Amino acid sequence: MCGIVGLFLKDKALEPQLGALLTKMLVTMTDRGPDSAGIAIYSDDSTAKSKIVVQSDTPDADFAELDTALSSAIGAPVTMTTASTHAVLSIPLGAIENARAALKTVNPALRIMSRGDNLEIYKEVGLPKDVAARFDIEQMAGSHGIGHTRMATESAVTTMGAHPFNTGDDQCLVHNGSLSNHASLRRKLRREGIHIETENDTEVGAAYLTWQMQKGATLGEALQSSLEDLDGFFTFVVGTKDGFGVVRDPIACKPAVMAETDQYVAFGSEYRALADLPGIENARVWEPEPATVYFWSHTDQPTQEKVA
């Protein structure tokens, strides 16, 4: 049992409140998973930079001069901001793969939480309220985001085992449920060259979507394929650079509720996660259907497709 939240803002006037709204939503889900928590924030700061977020258990030592060392290694300017155990490294566009490879040499102990142009992921062991306070999530602005509080079933309680999982640029996933074929699928994906860091079943789900999209599938097509190729029961919420998607397995035994207004689309494992959102009393509220892919984008019309 885990708790998931997601918020996609249509109204730019709400963007300064994204972190505060997501934090409040996630804290209401605390009793669904007290082990660890994480939030992904998508924002377009118009700096024409890519970002890599790294985590360290010894940040004072590991973050000292990290930006200088990485800049020297990739031959390009790097700036850094820190928040507790996480550091956000801003690098030139197109330099993500080069920087990821260089980090293994600069400091192999660092753990990569996320990479992309718009995405930042912050996650740690602990309760949602503590994790959010640690990184000052309430003060963060953005266009959309997803969050997760975890009750571990498939792997150890660690920072790397916490959600969201990022396996492709500006792509991340949170999950409630359990995948029964994750071990065999992990082996297959690794043979295909997909990097998988942990033994967590959710990371396999995220990596599967990345693999499908690398082969040319759209996110919607990848989510549809997941309904055929992933065994078990699951509710996925997926973040992308310009939107987010939702899919539930054909049995749909894991709870989920959505709400939509002219200002936002929201997801929660339970309605109480949505209850304090602005204008919720006038929202269209519904339970997402089984085996149905939902996706909202800032560049396209919302989509909904039923998989037979």
Side-chain angles (χ1 to χ4, degrees):
M1 182 174 73
C2 298
I4 302 174
V5 299
L7 187 59
F8 172 87
L9 299 179
K10 303 177 186 179
D11 184 354
K12 291 185 71 68
L14 286 178
E15 290 187 2
Q17 302 178 52
L18 177 68
L21 292 170
L22 268 175
T23 296
K24 193 168 187 178
M25 293 170 71
L26 190 59
V27 168
T28 67
M29 296 287 96
T30 297
D31 59 357
R32 295 191 62 85
D35 298 328
S36 56
I39 287 182
I41 297 285
Y42 287 87
S43 59
D44 182 4
D45 56 15
S46 301
T47 59
K49 297 279 189 180
S50 295
K51 295 179 283 190
I52 297 179
V53 180
V54 296
Q55 186 268 358
S56 169
D57 292 337
T58 55
D60 289 344
D62 287 340
F63 296 162
E65 305 299 326
L66 175 60
D67 49 348
T68 302
L70 183 60
S71 177
S72 177
I74 67 174
V78 176
T79 58
M80 177 175 64
T81 59
T82 61
S84 185
T85 58
H86 288 39
V88 181
L89 298 163
S90 295
I91 59 178
L93 290 173
I96 287 178
E97 289 308 311
N98 190 17
R100 286 179 67 201
L103 281 168
K104 294 179 182 178
T105 300
V106 169
N107 189 336
L110 293 173
R111 305 177 181 98
I112 295 178
M113 300 289 99
S114 63
R115 80 269 191 180
D117 298 339
N118 294 27
L119 171 65
E120 295 177 15
I121 290 178
Y122 300 87
K123 59 183 184 178
E124 276 291 1
V125 172
L127 299 174
K129 67 178 180 63
D130 297 328
V131 172
R134 187 172 198 168
F135 302 112
D136 206 14
I137 301 294
E138 288 188 333
Q139 300 304 312
M140 294 183 183
S143 57
H144 56 293
I146 62 178
H148 185 274
T149 184
R150 181 175 183 233
M151 181 176 290
T153 59
E154 293 291 340
S155 59
V157 179
T158 63
T159 301
M160 291 303 291
H163 305 207
F165 281 97
N166 166 235
T167 54
D169 291 359
D170 284 307
Q171 176 192 327
C172 66
L173 178 146
V174 293
H175 167 217
N176 183 19
S178 180
L179 302 179
S180 57
N181 65 334
H182 66 93
S184 59
L185 189 54
R186 182 182 294 105
R187 291 191 294 269
K188 176 179 179 179
L189 292 172
R190 282 174 170 163
R191 288 196 299 269
E192 295 290 336
I194 303 298
H195 179 74
I196 299 176
E197 187 80 18
T198 74
E199 296 304 306
N200 190 289
D201 62 328
T202 301
E203 188 181 15
V204 173
Y208 171 85
L209 297 179
T210 297
W211 176 58
Q212 289 289 339
M213 294 170 72
Q214 285 182 358
K215 295 192 300 178
T218 64
L219 175 61
E221 291 167 343
L223 288 170
Q224 290 172 19
S225 296
S226 74
L227 292 164
E228 300 177 5
D229 294 340
L230 301 182
D231 293 335
F233 42 92
F234 54 87
T235 294
F236 287 158
V237 179
V238 183
T240 69
K241 187 172 185 177
D242 61 5
F244 87 140
V246 173
V247 68
R248 303 171 79 195
D249 68 83
I251 299 175
C253 63
K254 291 299 180 180
V257 62
M258 302 195 71
E260 183 169 15
T261 72
D262 291 339
Q263 293 184 294
Y264 59 79
V265 180
F267 176 96
S269 293
E270 300 177 37
Y271 177 77
R272 58 190 165 120
L274 316 178
D276 291 327
L277 288 172
I280 190 65
E281 64 276 4
N282 299 315
R284 179 174 76 93
V285 179
W286 78 101
E287 181 181 349
E289 294 185 23
T292 301
V293 173
Y294 299 82
F295 185 71
W296 286 263
S297 168
H298 288 112
T299 57
D300 301 309
Q301 294 296 315
T303 62
Q304 172 182 333
E305 186 164 349
K306 179 82 172 182
V307 179

